[in-house]
Amino acid sequence: VCSYDLGGRFGLFLGWNIQNSSWTVTELLRPLVVNLDFQKNNKSVFLSTTFAGYVGMLTGMKPETFTLTMNERFNLDGGYIGVLEWILGKRDGHWMSFLTRSVLENATSYEDAKNQLTKTKLLAPAYFILGGNKSGEGCVITRARASSLDVWELDVKQGSWYVLETNYDRWKPPLFLDDRRTFAVSSTNQIGRAH
């Protein structure tokens, strides 16, 4: 949704505040942002930046093992269908943020995390951005609810020294109103590998 309100202010999706150049919802959530250190036996299991009171995880880091972020993926077979099925008793899919938390808690390696993220049935489609602690460990996992559609891996030998996700399938053009990908690719290439 794009709109201009009666005061002539432009709004896109969650309310763009043109005076502050910020998203209205982001500003409302900002006071709730917390950095958490989940520990067991006085040792960090994983770290996460999240919202106070939110029990799932959208992003996190397992020290010396991997980093993980979940992004929304728009699809007609999306979250509403999965949530409706869950409400009606079909509970074989995982909530994405609970899967992210489970992987951060329990995966013992980059490969273990990648395996769980590619094979676990979900309630909604998603993108998982996973980075390891060894050279060449990094991927974007594109998920449908029941299967993995794509695992885009770093491959420096083939010229893929970075992977990036902007909430659109990499094999499809992004929505023309929201083409962050072109800018992100251009900027990353301009900065280069030396930085």
Side-chain angles (χ1 to χ4, degrees), residues 82-93 121 123 145:
V83 170
L84 182 60
E85 288 176 353
W86 189 86
I87 289 168
L88 295 173
K90 183 178 179 186
R91 303 218 167 122
D92 59 342
K121 188 170 180 185
L123 290 183
R145 292 190 313 128

Side-chain angles (χ1 to χ4, degrees), residues 12-13 71-75 126-127 129 140-143 150 152 164-182:
L12 176 66
F13 302 117
N71 279 0
E72 180 178 10
R73 180 171 177 260
F74 304 103
N75 191 290
Y127 298 103
I129 299 88
V140 174
I141 301 165
T142 303
R143 285 296 312 267
D150 184 50
W152 181 22
L164 63 87
E165 182 54 52
T166 58
N167 299 90
Y168 294 100
D169 296 343
R170 70 181 178 116
W171 57 91
K172 295 179 183 174
L175 180 67
F176 72 95
L177 291 172
D178 187 32
D179 186 5
R180 294 168 280 147
R181 182 191 304 156
T182 300

Side-chain angles (χ1 to χ4, degrees), residues 1-12 16 18:
V1 175
C2 292
S3 66
Y4 280 95
D5 69 10
L6 293 175
R9 292 177 296 265
F10 174 72
L12 176 66
W16 180 252
I18 203 161

Side-chain angles (χ1 to χ4, degrees), residues 37-148:
D37 182 351
F38 290 83
Q39 297 190 354
K40 186 174 186 177
N41 299 323
N42 292 324
K43 184 178 178 190
S44 293
V45 176
F46 71 93
L47 309 169
S48 180
T49 300
T50 189
F51 302 106
Y54 187 67
V55 294
M57 296 296 132
L58 301 174
T59 188
M61 179 196 66
K62 189 166 189 115
E64 300 179 22
T65 312
F66 62 85
T67 61
L68 173 59
T69 298
M70 194 246 346
N71 279 0
E72 180 178 10
R73 180 171 177 260
F74 304 103
N75 191 290
L76 291 177
D77 183 23
Y80 294 115
I81 294 171
V83 170
L84 182 60
E85 288 176 353
W86 189 86
I87 289 168
L88 295 173
K90 183 178 179 186
R91 303 218 167 122
D92 59 342
H94 286 73
W95 296 85
M96 291 72 54
S97 63
F98 291 159
L99 174 60
T100 302
R101 180 177 177 148
S102 176
V103 169
L104 287 163
E105 280 184 64
N106 302 306
T108 58
S109 68
Y110 169 84
E111 286 298 327
D112 185 18
K114 184 168 68 168
N115 186 53
Q116 290 181 47
L117 295 167
T118 56
K119 295 185 177 173
T120 303
K121 188 170 180 185
L122 302 172
L123 290 183
Y127 298 103
F128 294 105
I129 299 88
L130 181 65
N133 67 348
K134 295 181 181 84
S135 180
E137 288 185 338
C139 66
V140 174
I141 301 165
T142 303
R143 285 296 312 267
R145 292 190 313 128
S147 64
S148 183

